[in-house]
Amino acid sequence: MPGPVVDILMYHSVSNRGGATAIAPAVFAAQMAAIAEAGVPVITLDNLLDAREGRQKLAPRSVILTFDDGFQDFADAAWPVMARHGFRPIVYLPTAFVGRAEGWRGIADPPRALMGWGTIRALVKEGVAFGSHTVHHPDLDAMTPAEVEAELVRSRAEIEDRIGQPCRHFAPPYGLASAEVRARIAESYHSSVGTRLAEATPAADPFDLPRLEMFYFTDAARWRAHLAGRGAAWLALRKGLRAVKARVSNPWQGLGPGGGKA
């Protein structure tokens, strides 16, 4: 029999801003309610790593909730919904922009505000985990080894200093991380998630973990079907379309409104 399936869900903004990186609050609430109603457990990345090492058994299907960039609407709109369900997410922070507006390539117009460190520390006390999304949100594959090193080490150090907890997990901006960059990530972190569209398993490479962009699951019936294990055809379709697009465009051209991939 196939082993456990882990859906690592990828979110950015929970708002009515539109674009591929924004999920409307009502849609997000429905997605979270569907997880609760389906009885699919929400686990952490540490749970997944424990299962990989044989220290924990997972349910046939489970979910991990991840948020890139640390937008203020996480605290305002997303966290209250998850807190009511008892779900524990992780948020990946680009530390140079904490408490400021987004300022990297592929941003929304007008730019969205990120949470400040005071808000982040309050969320830590409530059970939210935080990981690194680098310092400046760059394309790591376009940087020198020394520049990559600085982005990885400085962001982790600042997060740990600011929140008083270890920063164990990483997400490369835009999902761009070559084998060489992933090897360097592995020297500083315990896991790294990307934007490759697929389900994960405990046997997956912890430094090349795939995720599900929830922009593809805004239809409630489709999301419920996926949680029930009936979403293989839709996922295969989306993967096929993304593969076609990847062959005809570079990663920057693949960025849609707000920096999301189509």
Side-chain angles (χ1 to χ4, degrees), residues 52-69:
R52 176 181 173 82
E53 299 300 324
R55 295 189 294 268
Q56 179 174 345
K57 290 187 177 180
L58 300 182
R61 180 178 294 276
S62 53
V63 163
I64 296 174
L65 302 171
T66 72
F67 292 76
D68 290 7
D69 303 327

Side-chain angles (χ1 to χ4, degrees), residues 75-212:
D76 297 340
W79 173 239
V81 174
M82 291 180 285
R84 287 196 294 270
H85 290 295
F87 297 164
R88 293 180 58 201
I90 183 170
V91 181
Y92 297 101
L93 301 172
T95 54
F97 298 95
V98 169
R100 300 169 52 195
E102 57 183 328
W104 49 86
R105 192 166 187 176
I107 64 173
D109 184 20
R112 296 165 289 196
L114 274 68
M115 296 181 287
W117 289 113
T119 298
I120 290 166
R121 283 190 289 269
L123 290 170
V124 168
K125 294 178 181 178
E126 295 180 19
V128 178
F130 288 91
S132 169
H133 203 37
T134 70
V135 178
H136 299 103
H137 203 289
D139 171 5
L140 293 173
D141 286 349
M143 306 185 85
T144 67
E147 290 170 335
V148 170
E149 178 85 2
E151 290 286 335
L152 299 179
V153 173
R154 286 175 53 198
S155 58
R156 184 191 66 192
E158 181 165 12
I159 291 169
E160 291 181 341
D161 180 64
R162 294 279 194 167
I163 71 174
Q165 291 189 359
C167 178
R168 294 167 48 88
H169 306 289
F170 185 79
Y174 314 106
L176 299 175
S178 66
E180 292 77 12
V181 170
R182 291 197 302 272
R184 178 58 195 89
I185 293 168
E187 295 176 8
S188 292
Y189 298 90
H190 292 257
S191 79
S192 180
V193 294
T195 59
R196 182 167 55 87
L197 183 63
E199 297 166 324
T201 70
D205 181 349
F207 298 98
D208 189 24
L209 291 171
R211 290 191 284 180
L212 301 184

Side-chain angles (χ1 to χ4, degrees), residues 6 8 14 40 47 60 65 72 102 109 113 128 171 214-215 229 248 258:
V6 181
I8 306 177
V14 176
V40 175
N47 294 145
L65 302 171
Q72 179 61 39
E102 57 183 328
D109 184 20
V128 178
M214 293 307 289
F215 180 78
V248 299

Side-chain angles (χ1 to χ4, degrees), residues 16 56 80 239 243 249:
N16 290 310
Q56 179 174 345
K239 288 169 67 175
S249 67

Side-chain angles (χ1 to χ4, degrees), residues 206-225:
F207 298 98
D208 189 24
L209 291 171
R211 290 191 284 180
L212 301 184
E213 284 196 63
M214 293 307 289
F215 180 78
Y216 295 146
F217 293 95
T218 55
D219 180 84
R222 182 174 292 128
W223 178 229
R224 288 195 296 269

